[in-house]
Amino acid sequence: MPHALEAAIVTWHEAVNAGDLDRSAAAVTDPVVVLGPKGAGPLTPAEFADWVQRSGITLTPRSWHPISERLMVVEQDASWPQSEGPTRVATVFRATGDKVSASLRLPDLHSALELASICRELAATE
């Protein structure tokens, strides 16, 4: 897997899991595109960091699926302060340079791989 892409995603996970606002904001581009159960769209780094703090989420990577130079799907165990246990999810990550520029969380690995494939094809036809 491409080193810069992997490094950006590892940095993102470390910042989010630590609940560190400054590191979370520094781990993403301006804007960062997000997708989750409550909606999708661009967020500023400060808005992203605010979400990290409000949600209290932690995401433990379980498997890594390289899609392209800039796209990776990571299957994760997600936990929130109010959850009884982890929930398996998958996130499509896009990196721009050394930062995450998209974090698209889906309910399962199959859905994430399908979306990542579509994103790869869209990028290839630009």
Side-chain angles (χ1 to χ4, degrees), residues 12-45:
W12 184 96
H13 276 97
E14 290 172 350
V16 168
N17 290 340
D20 186 313
L21 286 109
D22 291 335
R23 285 176 53 205
S24 294
V28 298
T29 58
D30 188 7
V32 59
V33 178
V34 298
L35 169 68
K38 295 187 179 180
L43 295 177
T44 67

Side-chain angles (χ1 to χ4, degrees), residues 34-71:
V34 298
L35 169 68
K38 295 187 179 180
L43 295 177
T44 67
E47 291 168 334
F48 176 74
D50 183 55
W51 169 81
V52 168
Q53 185 177 46
R54 278 192 333 271
S55 71
I57 195 170
T58 58
L59 294 148
T60 304
R62 294 298 176 206
S63 64
W64 297 70
H65 305 268
I67 304 299
S68 70
E69 289 285 321
R70 296 183 54 210
L71 291 174

